[in-house]
């Protein structure tokens, strides 16, 4: 039987518990900046879709958001995006990290 060890399948009972883990997965400044840029573009795309009435803009949202984030993880952070195991908390974490970077709580 294998020794008792912490697994990569950590379970979180709340977003408050998850967010420090999320930030730890985003220590690289370039990765965080790519997340910030991707999130800003996603917000812009959603606003454009709503104000123009052209919902086709929404097609670009996942490609833009995940594209920037995954480049940051695979090429700069060198880890797997948390969204693979914690999709909802990760999406929420991205917007909270964006806000924290915007107001200066996290280096950008």
């Amino acid at each position: 039987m294998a020794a008792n060890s912490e697994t990569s399948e950590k379970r979180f009972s709340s977003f408050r518990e998850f967010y420090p883990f999320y930030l730890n997965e985003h220590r690289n400044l370039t990765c965080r900046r790519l997340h910030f840029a991707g999130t800003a573009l996603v917000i812009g795309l959603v606003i454009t879709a709503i104000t123009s009435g052209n919902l086709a803009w929404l097609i670009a949202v996942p490609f833009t958001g995940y594209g920037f984030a995954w480049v940051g993880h695979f090429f700069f952070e060198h880890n797997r995006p948390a969204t693979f195991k914690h999709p909802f908390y990760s999406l929420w974490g991205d917007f909270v990290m964006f806000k924290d970077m915007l107001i200066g709580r996290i280096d950008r």
Side-chain angles (χ1 to χ4, degrees):
M1 187 178 268
N4 187 4
S5 64
E6 188 174 337
T7 69
S8 62
E9 293 287 331
K10 181 160 176 58
R11 302 217 187 275
F12 299 97
S13 59
S14 67
F15 179 76
R16 180 173 289 210
E17 185 181 313
F18 172 79
Y19 192 56
F21 165 79
Y22 184 83
L23 291 177
N24 190 55
E25 296 291 299
H26 297 87
R27 290 175 296 205
N28 180 277
L29 184 58
T30 302
C31 180
R32 284 197 310 269
R33 287 177 176 169
L34 285 166
H35 274 68
F36 188 88
T39 302
L41 289 169
V42 161
I43 292 167
L45 287 167
V46 170
I47 290 169
T48 299
I50 292 168
T51 58
S52 71
N54 183 355
L55 299 183
W57 285 102
L58 297 177
I59 294 168
V61 166
F63 297 103
T64 303
Y66 288 123
F68 276 81
W70 290 0
V71 166
H73 283 285
F74 294 128
F75 294 104
F76 297 97
E77 195 72 59
H78 304 290
N79 63 12
R80 288 174 49 100
T83 193
F84 291 156
K85 299 205 185 236
H86 309 284
F88 298 111
Y89 278 164
S90 292
L91 180 61
W92 188 358
D94 198 45
F95 285 99
V96 172
M97 186 171 70
F98 177 83
K99 183 240 346 155
D100 286 346
M101 290 175 72
L102 196 61
I103 65 174
R105 279 193 194 153
I106 300 172
D107 286 342
R108 48 185 161 145

